[in-house]
Amino acid sequence: MTAPTELAELQKERGLGDYGEEVERDIPQIDMSDYFNRKEEITDALWDAATGIGFFQLTGHGIPQTLIDDAFALSAGFFDLLTETKEQYPLKPGTNAGWEYMAQVRPSTGTADRKESYQITLPRMRGLWPTGEEIFGFKETMLAFERHNWAVAMKVLECFASRLEFKPGTFTEGHDPDTPEYQSTLRLIHYLGMEDAKPEDFKFWRAGAHTDFDCLTLLHQKEGQGGLQLCPGKDEKGRATQWTDVPPLGGVITCNIGDMLMRWSDDKLLSNLHRVRMPKPEEYLGPRYSIAYFAQANMDTLLAGPEGKYEPMTGHDYIQMRLGANFAKK
């Protein structure tokens, strides 16, 4: 059964399918370089951004650009495989692992996102990796890329830990990747090209308005392939009407807080609505590729806020409660 606080999140998303108004906002960019010597300075910048606009971008994060480029190239290669090949690696309900095609339905729109995705949740990948003959170098590259994103996410979360007065290592231990309870996910995303689309197709969303149900999302975008928009939680006031484009910058990671961290922080950190709009007539109409890393507390991690605002619950119970809301039954 969906708990009252999570029911409120789902209700918040419903009815947010209108286009609304586009406004400009400054999106903070935070330099993560020399992290251990600059941790206090970085923490101040992250906390101000997270409690202000709620979205922020990371530079100097340490993920090699060559690895990012390889991950994007192999992601496109996977989605170019024949449908019958991709169907050998299906996403099964509740697993967050495998391939899906237009299966994610948002409460905000009631229609499927115009995309396909391949999700990597490490303990659940048995039988779900494409073979080397199908796409050479895929598994080893994605494993390396997944771990690099985990490391960046933990640096950000440990900065939040100090402000929430959690003991050092709380988030790193709570997202331990070396256990079967690990459930953070790397998601490769291919939004369908619109070159030959009919006018009515542009009435849909590439991804309808939603909040993420993880702790922290790291998003990699390709330059020239825009469409991501945000609506800060503090400006939403129960009805999202003002949206800001987030420019796709190569090598820059766009981050947002998820519902799990909002609960874990006793609402000190707010999750934020975002969506991916259709391209405008004068914009690039081809396919859009992005890669997201969702840092989600391990299944056996207890989510207990600093002030006890919510009843403690495990990461497993929280994610299972949210998964069913966003994926349509086949």
Side-chain angles (χ1 to χ4, degrees), residues 24-160:
E24 291 188 5
R25 295 181 175 95
D26 291 328
I27 300 173
Q29 285 197 359
I30 299 166
D31 180 6
M32 295 289 288
S33 63
D34 197 21
Y35 173 81
F36 294 103
N37 290 322
R38 297 178 51 242
K39 187 170 182 290
E40 286 304 314
E41 174 191 345
I42 292 171
T43 296
D44 288 342
L46 287 171
W47 188 262
D48 287 347
T51 56
I53 191 171
F55 272 72
F56 49 91
Q57 295 181 314
L58 304 179
T59 62
H61 46 71
I63 302 180
Q65 187 61 47
T66 53
L67 181 57
I68 297 173
D69 293 341
D70 288 347
F72 270 111
L74 288 165
S75 172
F78 174 83
F79 292 121
D80 283 342
L81 293 174
L82 295 174
T83 298
E84 52 261 38
T85 300
K86 292 181 286 189
E87 286 176 340
Q88 298 177 67
Y89 312 111
L91 184 145
K92 297 178 181 178
T95 65
N96 258 6
W99 174 74
E100 60 83 20
Y101 179 82
M102 288 184 61
Q104 197 163 16
V105 177
R106 305 291 182 184
S108 61
T109 62
T111 60
D113 288 350
R114 314 294 279 187
K115 66 176 175 60
E116 59 180 325
S117 71
Y118 176 81
Q119 306 192 57
I120 299 169
T121 302
L122 295 182
R124 306 169 188 172
M125 294 302 294
R126 183 180 296 275
L128 292 177
W129 292 105
T131 68
E133 288 183 319
E134 291 164 343
I135 180 165
F136 179 73
F138 184 84
K139 181 176 181 178
E140 51 266 47
T141 300
M142 294 307 167
L143 286 174
F145 192 56
E146 198 275 352
R147 188 54 61 95
H148 272 81
N149 278 273
W150 174 85
V152 173
M154 293 310 105
K155 287 180 177 179
V156 173
L157 288 172
E158 287 301 335
C159 287
F160 293 150

Side-chain angles (χ1 to χ4, degrees), residues 234-284:
K234 69 182 184 64
D235 294 342
E236 173 203 325
K237 297 181 178 64
R239 189 75 181 174
T241 57
Q242 295 187 327
W243 295 88
T244 296
D245 283 318
V246 181
L249 303 175
V252 174
I253 301 174
T254 299
C255 301
N256 65 274
I257 306 301
D259 299 333
M260 177 184 275
L261 184 57
M262 181 172 168
R263 181 190 180 100
W264 202 348
S265 70
D266 287 337
D267 296 339
K268 297 180 185 300
L269 297 167
L270 299 181
S271 61
N272 288 273
L273 284 163
H274 49 285
R275 66 188 186 186
V276 181
R277 62 169 173 79
M278 285 293 183
K280 299 175 182 178
E282 70 277 10
E283 295 176 335
Y284 166 74

